[in-house]
Amino acid sequence: MTDIISAAPQLDTALFPDSFLWGAATAAYQIEGAVDEGGRAPSIWDTFSHSPGATRNGDTGDVACDHYHRWKTDLDIAYDIGLQAYRLSVSWARLQPDGEGPLNPEAIDFYRQLLGGLAERGIRPFVTLYHWDMPQVLEVAGGWPARRTAERFADYARLTVDALGDLAEDWITVNEPWCSSFNGYHAGTHAPGRRDLGAAVAAAHHLNVAHGLAVRSIREGAHPQVRIGVANLITDVVAASDRHDDIEAAARIDANNNLMFLAPPYLGHYPAVVHDLYDRYGLESLIQPGDLKTISTPTDFVGVNHYHQMVVSSDPSDPHLGASFTHAEPASTSLGWSIKPESLRNVLCRVSQEFTELPLYVTESGASFHDETDHEGNVIDIERIGYLHGYFGAAAEAIAAGVDVRGYFVWSLLDNFEWGEGYSHRFGLTYIDYETQTRIQKASAKWYRIQIARHSGQPKYGDRANSGIVPQ
Ligand code: FCB
């Protein structure tokens, strides 16, 4: 194993600023399990994953990585890797099971222990308020297509930051509103599994509003000084050819996937191309006076989630955007996503040039493979090391080009429940044997530890030396 890792390509860590944060990310429903414990109510993902045919193999997050009971072990792994920052999400369905009213004290207690555990280990938390697990009761009341849900979210956000903001200074409102709205309400591949484009457009606008209302309500709360951002999935969209119809098709995909969620918070408007696509589905009539001002309430940083490039061709048989896409390279992950590091550099440069000069964090990037243990019980994921080497290198190129990239959260710390794909694709630095809940640090985790140590030598947050925790 050691030979393999030392033969692997090493990062030029001098290219990253001293304060650069080396992190990893997870999300509550994907790892916690314990769906019936601690006063948690069902979320849309419980309902969806238990619907016949909704997920691959009928997989659910009922147990997942059992992180709810094993969080100390998992934080020890994060510590052992040397993570300086950890992005987690808190579960709305756990914290506010009724979707309104006071928070559930057992959930507050759980998350306070978890955040306290990070502090003890000198790891800086970035906490996402909405990583897709809305209480089912709110979906029954209309879900994201109903404007009221955005108001409910802002209340939940404020209560949560009031309860936990002394333990976490960095907060992310919403994770990937494109996925929640278009996968959840149009494609039907994510919870709640609806197939209604008008509902998806309404969901998209209300998720944008929810973000802005949450920023405002957090600022009025007990910890107004916390730093806040939103994490968007930003795809590098390119036309398959220089034919006019391919270029137009790529522009429509870019409008739907990127501009609809990037322009309102930073530029204060929906671009004409978004109106062209969605006014006939009610976008203009959904926008109430003051909405764009709310959505563009100032924030402190931008979360960039990035995975792959999309090569787009015109496709008149597609009734939605008249487009189809493929991946650029023969190299791809188990999900068929292209491995093309320059696309990360492209999106980082684009966000800073076209949308905002706020600091950027890569809040997610990573690769899935069908990892297996070898005869010695090791997981030698050379391809993931190659991916991380390439994508961290691309972040360094963006930094060299003047982009203020402050950190990178590898998706993911642990193998976990990959939404509609269930457990069939593994993104973790840590292998999970789901039968026994054994954790095995993959070669990529050991490689990552070496890169972090080479860059810093020292932890960047808290004082690990005084934490009483001895590295293994
Ligand atoms: C992103 C999600 C994250 C994970 C990765 C692979 O879209 O935010 O939860 O599933 O994809």
Side-chain angles (χ1 to χ4, degrees):
M1 176 81 117
T2 319
D3 292 352
I4 291 167
I5 293 164
S6 45
Q10 308 293 313
L11 285 170
D12 183 352
T13 54
L15 299 173
F16 298 87
D18 284 351
S19 57
F20 192 79
L21 287 179
W22 303 77
T26 61
Y29 188 72
Q30 295 180 276
I31 64 167
E32 280 183 4
V35 292
D36 295 326
E37 291 179 54
R40 182 184 180 280
S43 76
I44 55 175
W45 267 96
D46 296 279
T47 310
F48 181 73
S49 65
H50 280 271
S51 309
T55 64
R56 191 177 292 270
N57 304 319
D59 289 345
T60 74
D62 288 1
V63 178
C65 308
D66 196 29
H67 176 75
Y68 187 76
H69 299 113
R70 297 169 194 265
W71 60 268
K72 284 187 188 148
T73 305
D74 295 336
L75 297 197
D76 283 345
I77 292 170
Y79 179 84
D80 190 43
I81 295 172
L83 296 187
Q84 297 165 343
Y86 173 56
R87 175 176 175 229
L88 66 144
S89 82
V90 290
S91 164
W92 191 354
R94 198 179 280 296
L95 276 162
Q96 198 183 36
D98 299 332
E100 61 186 345
L103 298 187
N104 164 19
E106 277 185 87
I108 296 173
D109 190 44
F110 170 66
Y111 289 118
R112 288 196 69 81
Q113 286 189 52
L114 187 57
L115 293 170
L118 285 166
E120 276 174 19
R121 290 164 180 77
I123 300 172
R124 173 168 156 188
F126 279 59
V127 186
T128 308
L129 287 155
Y130 187 64
H131 204 126
W132 307 353
D133 45 2
M134 175 201 285
Q136 175 65 24
V137 68
L138 291 181
E139 175 57 27
V140 172
W144 288 114
R147 192 179 173 91
R148 185 176 171 273
T149 303
E151 289 152 15
R152 296 273 65 79
F153 176 71
D155 287 347
Y156 150 74
R158 173 174 170 168
L159 291 170
T160 300
V161 177
D162 281 357
L164 304 175
D166 57 325
L167 294 173
E169 294 173 354
D170 298 278
W171 290 83
I172 290 166
T173 53
V174 173
N175 180 69
E176 298 185 357
W178 176 79
C179 283
S180 289
S181 48
F182 286 94
N183 287 343
Y185 291 91
H186 179 231
T189 51
H190 280 184
R194 289 172 59 183
R195 291 172 199 271
D196 173 349
L197 186 49
V201 170
H205 180 61
H206 295 147
L207 278 151
N208 280 333
V209 172
H211 157 72
L213 289 176
V215 177
R216 283 194 182 161
S217 66
I218 292 167
R219 296 272 188 243
E220 288 162 6
H223 303 288
Q225 77 291 350
V226 297
R227 293 176 290 269
I228 312 175
V230 58
N232 271 308
L233 179 62
I234 306 180
T235 303
D236 188 29
V237 179
V238 298
S241 78
D242 53 13
R243 280 178 32 188
H244 183 68
D245 55 352
D246 287 342
I247 292 171
E248 296 265 292
R252 290 191 295 275
I253 294 267
D254 186 48
N256 174 256
N257 294 41
N258 296 325
L259 298 182
M260 192 162 189
F261 303 96
L262 273 176
Y266 309 112
L267 306 180
H269 67 269
Y270 285 104
V273 56
V274 174
H275 281 290
D276 288 350
L277 284 176
Y278 292 132
D279 280 356
R280 73 192 114 122
Y281 293 96
L283 176 62
E284 185 65 41
S285 57
L286 288 161
I287 302 172
Q288 295 191 2
D291 274 5
L292 287 155
K293 198 154 186 292
T294 301
I295 299 169
S296 56
T297 303
T299 53
D300 303 292
F301 64 87
V302 182
V304 174
N305 292 2
H306 175 74
Y307 287 91
H308 56 76
Q309 191 178 70
M310 281 168 102
V311 181
V312 178
S313 309
S314 162
D315 179 357
S317 72
D318 167 36
H320 176 202
L321 296 168
S324 57
F325 73 93
T326 55
H327 289 277
E329 300 268 289
S332 75
T333 70
S334 64
L335 281 162
W337 298 354
S338 58
I339 300 178
K340 197 153 192 192
E342 57 267 43
S343 61
L344 175 61
R345 183 200 55 215
N346 293 346
V347 298
L348 292 169
C349 291
R350 182 182 185 199
V351 171
S352 85
Q353 282 157 13
E354 293 179 30
F355 298 98
T356 175
E357 292 181 343
L358 286 172
L360 309 185
Y361 291 93
V362 179
T363 35
E364 284 181 28
S365 191
S368 64
F369 299 104
H370 296 301
D371 303 310
E372 288 176 2
T373 49
D374 67 13
H375 62 282
E376 289 173 340
N378 292 320
V379 181
I380 309 294
D381 56 339
I382 292 298
E383 292 160 299
R384 185 169 290 101
I385 293 175
Y387 175 99
L388 293 173
H389 180 259
Y391 278 68
F392 270 93
E397 286 176 21
I399 292 166
V403 182
D404 185 6
V405 186
R406 302 235 174 138
Y408 188 128
F409 295 80
V410 175
W411 185 269
S412 173
L413 177 63
L414 309 171
D415 289 343
N416 59 50
F417 175 75
E418 179 42 34
W419 308 114
E421 297 294 332
Y423 297 99
S424 54
H425 298 270
R426 293 176 178 272
F427 274 93
L429 295 166
T430 308
Y431 180 90
I432 305 281
D433 176 338
Y434 293 105
E435 295 291 315
T436 61
Q437 289 293 343
T438 305
R439 276 83 166 124
I440 300 170
Q441 286 184 42
K442 300 180 192 175
S444 58
K446 297 176 192 274
W447 176 88
Y448 195 35
R449 173 168 52 189
I450 292 168
Q451 310 314 306
I452 298 170
R454 283 177 54 233
H455 177 252
S456 57
Q458 296 293 329
K460 287 288 189 295
Y461 185 78
D463 185 357
R464 209 172 271 183
N466 291 333
S467 71
I469 295 161
V470 181
Q472 291 152 21

